[in-house]
Amino acid sequence: SSIFILISFTLVLVRARRFYMQRKYRLIDLERERYAWLPAVLASGALTDSDALRKPPGSNAWTAIEEALFKALDSRKAEQERIRKLFHDLGYTAYYMKKLKRGNRWEQALYAERLGKIECREAVHELINALSSKYRDVRMLAIHSLGEIRDERGLPGLIKALRIAVTSDEDVSIKVLKSALISFGAALMEFMLPLTRDP
């Protein structure tokens, strides 16, 4: 009967998808093993040639190298600037900005966060644009990332977002905005003092 055919077809699809995903994760794991040395070398500043790390975006090697870059970025403060430059030189920064601008909702949120994590000043304009996204999670991560980057060009957009959050009583937004704004330190005062006259 047609129900039996439908159930059989669904089972075949589920098994095929499971097989595909297992194979995909196995291939990514192989690339992770291949680049297991990279975080330590990056953290020590001993990497001399980065051209061998240039891989096609979205490939398994690209993903493994990206993970290694983030691991090294978290582990060694002294080498952070050099590691951030590698994100740029290897094409990750441009890819993240493209996805923030044209990706689906989840990609926009993910890459907004990554741009903040690498403190990408080039992305400030795109992150300011993301403050008007119709998706709340994209807006929240853009706010967070502008706070991570601490570029004063982001302050007018953050203050505008603060006005909207205060008038709409968005408690979570206000907490995220407060944290982002405080990260600017003394530079914030020039922008905040005029607001003391705002009802």
Side-chain angles (χ1 to χ4, degrees), residues 102-141:
R102 295 192 198 92
N104 64 40
R105 172 187 184 169
W106 312 114
E107 289 172 332
Q108 287 175 8
L110 173 67
Y111 294 112
E113 180 188 29
R114 288 188 182 171
L115 286 163
K117 195 164 186 185
I118 62 173
E119 296 179 24
C120 179
R121 296 176 82 85
E122 285 176 64
V124 168
H125 180 69
E126 293 303 333
L127 289 165
I128 291 168
N129 288 341
L131 294 176
S132 2
S133 170
K134 62 182 177 179
Y135 303 117
R136 190 166 185 273
D137 49 346
V138 174
R139 291 194 309 271
M140 292 299 98
L141 286 164

Side-chain angles (χ1 to χ4, degrees), residues 14-106:
V14 167
R15 285 190 180 139
R17 179 171 165 70
R18 186 179 298 149
F19 174 77
Y20 168 78
M21 294 308 285
Q22 284 173 340
R23 185 173 183 277
K24 180 181 173 182
Y25 291 134
R26 194 165 47 246
L27 291 172
I28 290 175
D29 285 341
L30 287 172
E31 291 297 334
R32 284 182 182 127
E33 287 171 26
R34 186 174 165 209
Y35 291 101
W37 55 270
L38 187 55
V41 170
L42 288 169
S44 70
L47 185 72
T48 52
D49 179 27
S50 62
D51 285 342
L53 300 177
R54 204 174 300 279
K55 302 296 176 189
S59 67
N60 293 329
W62 164 278
T63 302
I65 291 166
E66 178 185 40
E67 287 175 11
L69 287 169
F70 276 116
K71 221 178 264 184
L73 188 67
D74 289 338
S75 69
R76 183 72 187 259
K77 298 279 183 218
E79 292 298 319
Q80 283 184 339
E81 201 52 49
R82 186 184 293 195
I83 295 165
R84 285 189 195 103
K85 187 176 182 316
L86 271 174
F87 274 102
H88 181 273
D89 294 347
L90 296 175
Y92 290 95
T93 301
Y95 181 80
Y96 295 167
M97 287 199 292
K98 185 176 94 176
K99 289 294 185 179
L100 174 60
K101 195 173 181 180
R102 295 192 198 92
N104 64 40
R105 172 187 184 169
W106 312 114

